[in-house]
Every structure is written in C-alpha cells, then in structure tokens.
Amino acid sequence: MTITASELGFYIFGLFILFLTPGPVWVALVARVLSGGFKQAWPLTLGVAVGDIFWSVLAALGMGWVASSVEGGMFVLRIVAALFFLWLGVTIIRSAGHKVTGDSRLTRPGMLAGFVAGLIVILSNPKAILFYMGVLPGFFDLSALTGPDILAIALASFVVPLVGNLILAFFVDRARALLSSEHALKRMNYAAGALLLLVGIAILFV
C-alpha cells in the first residue's frame, strides 16, 4: 500500500463529517424508519453503502488517470477538494435552519425496495458525487494508488456510512426529535459546517 494510516484516517474523518450533514440519505432513512421501523431501514443503508463503494472506486480510478496524465493535475485536484469542503461548509451554515423534508417515493415497503431506494438516493445525490470526485484527490496521491489502496478506500467508503446510518436508524426516535427541532438542527448544522470548513483549510496546508 502507498497510502498511510494518517491519510486514510483523515479520509475516514471526512466521510464521518459528511454523514453528519442532513441530506437526501437522511430524508429517505428517517422516512423509512418512521413508516416501517428498523427492518425497513437497514436495506436502504446497505444500498447507500454499496453506492458509496461505486463512487469511491470510480473517483479513485478516474481522477487518478487525470492526476497521472495532466501536468500539475494533483495540485489542481487538491484545490478542487479544498474548495468543495469550503463550499459545502458555507452552504450548510447558511441553510442551518432549514428542516429536512420527506420523499414518499423512497418509502415503499420491502427489503428490495429499500435497497434500491438506497442506491437511487446515493447515486443521484450531487453532494455525494462532488464529495467523492473532490475528496479523494485531497487526501491521497491518486497517481500512485495500488489495488490494495483502492480496496482500503472502498472499504472505508462502505463501512463509515453503513455504520453511521445504522446507528441513525436505531436511534430514530432521537433523530426524529432532532429533525423536528429548529434550534437543535441549527446547532448541528453550524457544527458540521464549521468542521467542513476546517477540513477544507487543512487539505490546503497538510
């Protein structure tokens, strides 16, 4: 492996912060738990995690080609990664008081329906696409990635959202109270936005 433990740990931290930001995955997950309980939610978390593997591997391979083929490509991709985190942090802070709303199209009962809903919500999520296409160049030297490196990145991209979303589903009653409280939602979004800004700044100087 060419990536270091600190690089992988920093990437895992970025994944965790992204998980903390409410978005389409939260909408679908909370809606499914409220409509059918935990048994309706865990297939969705699995679908989301599989979609995260897809985006992480695609980003590692595709952006790695750019980094190795274009002179100064790594520097440009690193700047893009930093700007993404800064943009996402500012966006979340500006919309801190907005409540999460539901989408009934993602709450059909059934394990297969839940899994497919998870895939749909992550594969069509612009935030996830931008995160994976922008975050990998900021944390790793994509031009030097090996097979084991990509496997480690894919595994982290699978485990972090899976565990996080399962925990969220399990404590859905607390999540429901949080999502219905404007004050609590503001505090959470301010904190997540500030952390994303710190990650964006760190990418530039670490």
Side-chain angles (χ1 to χ4, degrees):
M1 289 180 60
T2 64
I3 61 176
T4 65
S6 60
E7 288 175 333
L8 189 59
F10 194 27
Y11 174 66
I12 290 173
F13 178 72
L15 286 170
F16 177 70
I17 297 303
L18 186 71
F19 159 74
L20 291 179
T21 60
V25 174
W26 273 40
V27 171
L29 181 63
V30 172
R32 287 192 70 83
V33 174
L34 295 179
S35 65
F38 183 82
K39 66 179 181 179
Q40 292 293 338
W42 74 260
L44 181 138
T45 67
L46 185 60
V48 169
V50 170
D52 282 315
I53 290 179
F54 171 80
W55 282 127
S56 64
V57 172
L58 182 64
L61 296 176
M63 295 297 99
W65 178 85
V66 173
S68 61
S69 302
V70 180
E71 185 177 356
M74 274 306 303
F75 174 75
V76 173
L77 292 176
R78 193 178 184 89
I79 296 298
V80 170
L83 290 176
F84 166 74
F85 274 104
L86 295 173
W87 166 78
L88 187 58
V90 171
T91 300
I92 290 172
I93 290 173
R94 290 182 61 185
S95 60
H98 295 180
K99 292 186 177 182
V100 177
T101 56
D103 185 346
S104 60
R105 295 173 297 176
L106 300 176
T107 59
R108 289 196 312 169
M111 292 178 57
L112 180 60
F115 179 81
V116 172
L119 282 176
I120 291 173
V121 78
I122 195 65
L123 294 181
S124 61
N125 185 358
K127 185 176 70 173
I129 298 170
L130 288 173
F131 176 81
Y132 284 112
M133 293 304 173
V135 73
L136 288 174
F139 293 124
F140 311 110
D141 181 359
L142 299 188
S143 62
L145 289 183
T146 64
D149 293 328
I150 295 177
L151 180 61
I153 292 170
L155 183 61
S157 302
F158 175 81
V159 171
V160 173
L162 179 64
V163 172
N165 287 322
L166 284 174
I167 292 174
L168 175 61
F170 186 77
F171 292 105
V172 67
D173 288 334
R174 295 182 183 179
R176 182 181 184 184
L178 177 64
L179 293 173
S180 62
S181 169
E182 182 177 349
H183 179 66
L185 186 62
K186 276 186 177 181
R187 289 173 56 189
M188 181 183 64
N189 281 337
Y190 280 138
L195 287 172
L196 284 166
L197 290 175
L198 290 176
V199 172
I201 294 171
I203 286 176
L204 292 175
F205 298 101
V206 174

